[in-house]
Amino acid sequence: MKFRQQTLVFLVALMLIAVINPVVRGAEFRRTFLLEAGARYEISVRIKTDLEDAPTLASVYIHGEHGEYLRSTQLSRSLKGPHQWQHISTVVTAPLGAEKATVVFSAPAGVLMEWDEFNIRRIEADRAAEALIEQGLVYTGLIVDARGLDLKRGMSPRVYSQEGQLIYAGVTAAFEFLQEYGIASYGQELSPELLRRIQPGEKSVKVSPLVVRALDVTGSTENSVIISNDDAAAILDALNTYDFLAHYSVIFLVD
């Protein structure tokens, strides 16, 4: 049975922010908007590029009343094909003291990107969907078993499908997050300490990993992996319920 997280959207004008843009071209799209501390917002945009499997990055930087940095979140996605419109969205929660956020959608240098239908809306999570996470009925993280392949540990590991689609790109974390936690965790065997990497929220929440087997190692530094197309599809399908990749809930099992 497939579970999907649902959201109840406030229809009151004060609780809905929507910005619809004409089609715009460039390498980066940036907007700043006001926040209410404790509120959750869904940010979405429709994007297409001129490159096959172009990696795109959605970054949200949250600042306080005096401009001080509070938090950031990043979401990396590979678009399926050139000149095909695709929606990208992410959900953020404004921490205490939050005043405004800047959202940036970007593509690699030299890649032409077009976007429209940019929207920001305040949402309230469906309690039933949160209960699914608490009961362990959705995946809370990704475990890539790369043992026997001599995978090298690195600062920016990536996961590709057999067709070359980029599934996970670990190059988008804020510097502070990177310094403290790293892009992914590594280990030879699963342990309670290692599994904390994919545990959302409170310690009482069950850990439910999606485990895939790496088929090969790739990249000039041999720190990225290739997985089957079926496993790649399973990951993308699971993200519709809970986007664990946006929280960098990734573990690599290595020798």
Side-chain angles (χ1 to χ4, degrees):
M1 181 177 180
K2 184 176 180 180
F3 297 92
R4 292 181 179 274
Q5 182 176 9
Q6 299 178 341
T7 56
L8 299 176
V9 182
F10 291 98
L11 299 180
V12 181
L14 291 177
M15 306 178 78
L16 173 65
I17 306 173
V19 183
I20 301 179
N21 301 82
V23 175
V24 183
R25 295 177 175 85
E28 181 181 280
F29 173 81
R30 180 185 297 261
R31 287 290 186 275
T32 298
F33 59 97
L34 298 178
L35 296 173
E36 179 182 341
R40 302 182 72 202
Y41 298 87
E42 181 187 43
I43 304 165
S44 64
V45 70
R46 198 168 68 124
I47 292 179
K48 69 177 178 179
T49 68
D50 61 348
L51 182 67
E52 182 79 23
D53 289 326
T56 58
L57 173 64
S59 304
V60 183
Y61 303 96
I62 300 176
H63 295 83
E65 180 180 359
H66 304 292
E68 68 277 17
Y69 168 83
L70 297 178
R71 180 185 298 175
S72 65
T73 184
Q74 286 81 30
L75 175 67
S76 180
R77 287 289 181 271
S78 177
L79 301 188
K80 295 181 179 180
H83 311 298
Q84 295 183 26
W85 287 108
Q86 182 171 327
H87 275 92
I88 296 179
S89 65
T90 186
V91 175
V92 297
T93 300
L96 292 177
E99 178 75 14
K100 62 181 179 179
T102 298
V103 57
V104 181
F105 291 93
S106 58
V111 176
L112 181 64
M113 182 171 62
E114 297 182 44
W115 57 82
D116 69 354
E117 296 183 10
F118 173 64
N119 287 276
I120 305 167
R121 60 177 180 175
R122 179 170 169 170
I123 60 175
E124 181 176 340
D126 186 350
R127 295 299 180 185
E130 292 185 353
L132 295 179
I133 296 177
E134 294 175 357
Q135 296 170 27
L137 298 178
V138 297
Y139 294 116
T140 61
L142 175 66
I143 296 176
V144 181
D145 189 348
R147 289 173 293 190
L149 298 177
D150 196 25
L151 176 69
K152 303 296 190 297
R153 303 186 185 211
M155 298 294 289
S156 56
R158 296 189 174 198
V159 178
Y160 295 92
S161 71
Q162 288 172 293
E163 294 180 342
Q165 183 179 6
L166 180 63
I167 304 301
Y168 176 66
V171 296
T172 61
F175 179 75
E176 294 84 356
F177 183 91
L178 179 62
Q179 289 291 99
E180 185 171 358
Y181 302 106
I183 292 301
S185 293
Y186 295 85
Q188 294 180 326
E189 299 288 343
L190 291 177
S191 64
E193 181 179 1
L194 191 59
L195 286 172
R196 278 199 288 271
R197 176 81 193 203
I198 61 174
Q199 184 170 36
E202 301 296 328
K203 293 183 179 180
S204 60
V205 177
K206 294 181 180 179
V207 171
S208 181
L210 173 56
V211 182
V212 301
R213 174 68 185 173
L215 302 178
D216 201 358
V217 171
T218 188
S220 59
T221 57
E222 298 184 334
N223 68 341
S224 298
V225 298
I226 298 172
I227 62 174
S228 72
N229 291 333
D230 287 343
D231 283 343
I235 293 171
L236 296 177
D237 185 61
L239 298 181
N240 290 325
T241 304
Y242 174 66
D243 194 347
F244 45 81
L245 295 186
H247 299 277
Y248 309 103
S249 298
V250 178
I251 295 172
F252 288 93
L253 294 179
V254 296
D255 298 311

